[in-house]
């Protein structure tokens, strides 16, 4: 059985977390071993870096470097070993998030991150990325009722609109890998769309 690397992406409040367990169950029901993980995080070092990057004020480049430092560890400790065993790795965010938040949101040039990307995982990319998309006003309304917000969720102005636009640009550049899911639809509609996409990956 070949390993499968799936990532979930989207602006904060787009609803990807509501579908994580369902996705895992979908693959388990088809006899696959599923490894759920997340970024930033997924390893002891990565989870410590997550605490820092989500809560401590810092330069945008420091932020990008921490995301990739956590990712380096995540690939080494979790992603590669699981894929080598033929497992389905489902990661709640990966490098598309760095391009969306650190480049789109914070304004770093794509070229900076392309260097880090080729350094950290030139030969590893998700097989499939599910991008949960919805208008940022709806996402903001959903977030308003959420638990205490982190540094990214607290961002004001058009930060989230820039993140969303950057995600959609990535989806245009990688139309086969990145599938855009309409996150404003009902849970049932979203699941039907997901099931249609997953059929070819069973
Ligand atoms: P998130 O998945 O939203 O966690 P939670 O659902 O618990 O809030 O991820 C945390 C934040 O990290 C999110 O706002 C996006 C940000 N992030 C980046 O800015 N760059 C990255 O490379 C990654 C992986 C995440």
């Amino acid at each position: 059985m070949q390993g499968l690397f799936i990532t979930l992406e989207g602006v904060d409040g787009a609803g990807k977390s509501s579908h994580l367990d369902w996705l895992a169950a979908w693959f388990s029901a088809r006899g696959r071993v599923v490894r759920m993980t997340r970024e930033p995080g997924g390893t002891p070092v990565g989870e410590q870096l997550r605490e820092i990057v989500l809560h401590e004020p810092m330069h945008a480049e420091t932020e990008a470097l921490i995301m990739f430092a956590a990712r380096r560890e995540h690939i080494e400790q979790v992603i590669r070993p699981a894929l080598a065993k033929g497992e389905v790795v489902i990661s709640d965010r990966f490098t598309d998030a760095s391009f969306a938040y650190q480049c789109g949101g914070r304004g770093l040039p794509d070229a900076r991150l392309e260097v880090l990307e080729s350094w950290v995982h030139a030969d590893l990319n998700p097989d499939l990325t599910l991008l949960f998309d919805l208008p940022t006003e709806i996402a903001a309304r959903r977030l308003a009722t959420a638990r205490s917000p982190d540094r990214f969720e607290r961002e004001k102005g058009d930060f989230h609109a820039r993140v969303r636009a950057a995600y959609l640009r990535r989806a245009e550049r990688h139309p086969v890998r990145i599938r855009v899911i309409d996150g404003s639809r009902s849970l049932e509609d979203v699941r039907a769309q997901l099931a249609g996409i997953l059929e070819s990956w069973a």
Side-chain angles (χ1 to χ4, degrees):
M1 198 78 90
Q2 255 203 318
L4 185 57
F5 182 23
I6 297 180
T7 58
L8 271 63
E9 298 283 359
V11 292
D12 294 285
K16 63 184 166 51
S17 310
S18 341
H19 301 285
L20 277 168
D21 290 343
W22 182 87
L23 281 166
W26 193 94
F27 281 103
S28 302
R30 284 155 183 82
R32 302 292 305 249
V33 176
V34 178
R35 183 72 161 83
M36 309 277 285
T37 185
R38 69 170 180 181
E39 290 206 350
T43 65
V45 166
E47 290 295 326
Q48 289 196 43
L49 292 173
R50 178 186 176 96
E51 272 307 301
I52 295 168
V53 80
L54 291 192
H55 302 293
E56 298 292 333
M58 64 184 71
H59 192 280
E61 289 184 349
T62 312
E63 194 176 280
L65 289 163
I66 290 180
M67 296 297 179
F68 274 92
R71 185 162 297 136
R72 182 69 192 88
E73 202 63 16
H74 192 207
I75 290 169
E76 181 76 11
Q77 304 275 344
V78 176
I79 300 175
R80 279 198 197 284
L83 292 175
K85 284 191 274 181
E87 297 178 3
V88 178
V89 177
I90 301 179
S91 184
D92 188 350
R93 301 192 187 279
F94 192 63
T95 295
D96 294 310
S98 302
F99 282 97
Y101 283 80
Q102 280 65 57
C103 298
R106 303 273 191 233
L108 292 183
D110 279 8
R112 281 279 155 78
L113 265 69
E114 280 160 9
V115 173
L116 294 174
E117 182 184 30
S118 66
W119 183 16
V120 168
H121 61 94
D123 53 346
L124 175 83
N125 264 303
D127 297 295
L128 172 67
T129 297
L130 301 167
L131 171 57
F132 290 80
D133 179 59
L134 86 174
T136 37
E137 310 79 65
I138 304 180
R141 246 179 279 139
R142 287 187 184 170
L143 275 186
T145 56
R147 69 278 178 263
S148 62
D150 61 41
R151 279 177 64 232
F152 297 98
E153 291 162 343
R154 273 202 307 273
E155 281 293 337
K156 298 262 173 345
D158 62 354
F159 179 87
H160 295 282
R162 292 199 306 273
V163 170
R164 181 190 187 201
Y167 266 132
L168 291 173
R169 276 199 303 278
R170 300 251 332 143
E172 272 172 30
R173 274 186 57 193
H174 304 281
V176 176
R177 172 175 67 85
I178 304 182
R179 304 295 301 270
V180 181
I181 312 290
D182 182 352
S184 63
R185 314 276 302 256
S186 71
L187 206 67
E188 293 70 34
D189 283 359
V190 170
R191 288 198 178 151
Q193 192 185 349
L194 288 174
I197 292 169
L198 293 183
E199 219 43 70
S200 56
W201 295 98

